[in-house]
């Protein structure tokens, strides 16, 4: 598990951001579509495990399998390009403009949504036997998630919106850490281990991931969840996207770039010592006061008796 130093993997982050900014429309959409679909399958997998075992932690422990798969296959999530592409612009890579950045974000968002929605439809078919019966336990859980994480926030007004936004920030802090962590190693096992930890953390903590939600909420609507498309957009997806952008860029991309790619000038070192004893207090016996010498003599005489 070869480890890359921060200065090296931050350069790799910038290079990756530049490559994504210039990627063709076809490749960008295909890779985003597959990323959204695979992550949606992982979310369905985790919800199924949680329902069938009653252990939410087990679902969270196994959810990162989807993230690891899509990363190793070279697919792109919106949460990842939120962090990487701006670094190429900050580094003034030729041709990386705001227009190129926004184009990439827009294409990846579209591809992620289409992929996640495709899986949402497929899962709705599975949990209702082709819409011929009521949703099974997994389908009912998907509907409950949709209600609690839209209307549940709306019931608290501004406080709910703030909570939603903060959960989005914390989510992409962890998800982007997973993206970057994979660049720390040159081996598959090292990449998987590094990705697994922050992804497991965000999922178990219930943070808001815009692409996971592109699966959960359309699924809930298809399965009869008691919330609307407007509830989904206003009380989840839009604030979550903004929170994901802030979390990934502010707490991962910019911090790593500032301290490892644009390292500040080190503080001046102190001058070398001119020699032993200079600038220090004398410590030999001759430096003792007469009173101290007398006290030491008394202690020696007392010990001899």
């Amino acid at each position: 598990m070869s480890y890359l130093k921060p200065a090296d993997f931050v350069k790799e982050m910038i290079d990756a951001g530049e490559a994504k900014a210039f990627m063709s429309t076809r490749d960008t959409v295909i890779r985003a579509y597959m990323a959204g679909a695979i992550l949606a399958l992982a979310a369905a997998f985790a919800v199924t495990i949680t329902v069938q075992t009653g252990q939410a932690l087990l679902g969270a422990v196994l959810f990162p399998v989807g993230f690891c798969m899509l990363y190793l296959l070279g697919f792109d999530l919106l949460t990842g390009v939120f962090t990487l592409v701006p670094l190429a612009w900050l580094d003034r890579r030729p041709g990386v403009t705001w227009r190129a950045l926004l184009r990439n974000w827009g294409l990846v968002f579209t591809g992620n949504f289409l992929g996640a929605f495709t899986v949402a439809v497929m899962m709705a078919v599975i949990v209702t036997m082709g819409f011929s019966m009521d949703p099974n336990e997994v389908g009912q859980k998907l509907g409950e998630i949709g209600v609690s994480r839209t209307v549940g926030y709306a019931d608290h007004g501004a406080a709910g919106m703030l909570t939603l936004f903060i959960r989005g920030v914390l989510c992409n802090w962890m998800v982007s850490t997973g993206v970057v962590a994979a660049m720390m190693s040159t081996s598959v096992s090292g990449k998987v281990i590094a990705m697994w930890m922050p992804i497991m953390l965000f999922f178990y903590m219930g943070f808001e991931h815009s692409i996971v939600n592109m699966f959960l909420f359309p699924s809930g609507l298809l399965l009869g969840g008691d919330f609307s498309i407007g509830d989904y957009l206003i009380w989840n997806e839009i604030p979550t996207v903004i929170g994901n952008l802030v979390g990934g860029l502010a707490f991962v991309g910019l911090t790593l770039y500032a301290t490892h790619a644009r390292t500040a000038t080190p503080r001046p070192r102190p001058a070398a010592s001119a020699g032993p004893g200079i600038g220090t207090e004398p410590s030999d016996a001759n430096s003792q006061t007469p009173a101290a010498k007398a006290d030491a003599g008394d202690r020696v005489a007392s010990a001899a008796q």
Side-chain angles (χ1 to χ4, degrees):
M1 294 191 297
S2 299
Y3 170 71
L4 296 182
K5 294 181 179 180
D8 295 327
F9 69 70
V10 169
K11 183 181 182 302
E12 187 175 339
M13 291 169 63
I14 300 168
D15 292 342
E18 181 182 16
K20 294 177 192 304
F22 290 109
M23 190 179 296
S24 70
T25 298
R26 186 200 69 166
D27 290 341
T28 302
V29 172
I30 290 173
R31 295 181 190 192
Y33 178 91
M34 292 306 301
I38 291 173
L39 198 69
L41 279 170
F45 175 53
V47 171
T48 301
I49 291 171
T50 300
V51 170
Q52 293 183 350
T53 66
Q55 299 294 325
L57 179 59
L58 183 58
V61 168
L62 295 176
F63 169 77
V65 66
F67 186 88
C68 294
M69 288 168 55
L70 70 89
Y71 182 90
L72 294 174
L73 289 167
F75 300 145
D76 288 324
L77 291 173
L78 183 64
T79 44
V81 297
F82 272 167
T83 302
L84 299 178
V85 179
L87 300 187
W89 177 80
L90 284 172
D91 207 53
R92 299 182 179 180
R93 295 294 175 92
V96 181
T97 62
W98 272 105
R99 181 177 179 180
L101 182 150
L102 294 174
R103 168 188 169 275
N104 174 264
W105 288 356
L107 291 174
V108 173
F109 179 95
T110 301
N112 284 169
F113 181 81
L114 292 174
F117 185 75
T118 299
V119 174
V121 173
M122 290 179 175
M123 287 302 301
V125 170
I126 290 173
V127 300
T128 61
M129 195 63 71
F131 298 103
S132 65
M133 53 180 282
D134 291 335
N136 61 18
E137 290 183 354
V138 174
Q140 292 172 16
K141 181 64 175 177
L142 290 172
E144 292 171 5
I145 292 172
V147 174
S148 65
R149 288 165 65 172
T150 52
V151 178
Y153 289 126
D155 288 342
H156 295 279
M161 184 64 75
L162 176 62
T163 301
L164 171 58
F165 172 75
I166 296 299
R167 283 183 171 178
V169 170
L170 292 172
C171 171
N172 207 26
W173 185 353
M174 290 296 97
V175 173
S176 290
T177 298
V179 171
V180 173
M183 298 180 180
M184 298 177 185
S185 175
T186 58
S187 70
V188 172
S189 59
K191 290 177 182 292
V192 169
I193 293 170
M195 286 187 283
W196 206 281
M197 296 179 287
I199 303 305
M200 176 180 63
L201 188 156
F202 108 75
F203 195 84
Y204 186 70
M205 293 293 290
F207 297 153
E208 298 286 353
H209 191 280
S210 53
I211 293 83
V212 171
N213 292 351
M214 291 175 185
F215 161 73
L216 292 175
F217 295 95
S219 293
L221 289 168
L222 289 169
L223 296 169
D226 189 18
F227 63 101
S228 67
I229 294 176
D231 292 329
Y232 160 55
L233 293 176
I234 296 172
W235 287 101
N236 194 283
E237 191 63 37
I238 294 173
T240 297
V241 167
I242 297 171
N244 287 171
L245 171 60
V246 172
L249 192 53
F251 290 98
V252 181
L254 291 180
T255 51
L256 287 171
Y257 182 83
T259 192
H260 292 304
R262 288 290 178 266
T263 307
T265 303
R267 296 178 60 197
R269 297 177 182 272
S273 176
I278 295 177
T280 60
E281 293 295 327
S283 58
D284 55 34
N286 293 329
S287 66
Q288 293 181 334
T289 64
K293 289 182 179 180
D295 183 61
D298 291 344
R299 287 198 302 270
V300 171
S302 177
Q305 291 177 354

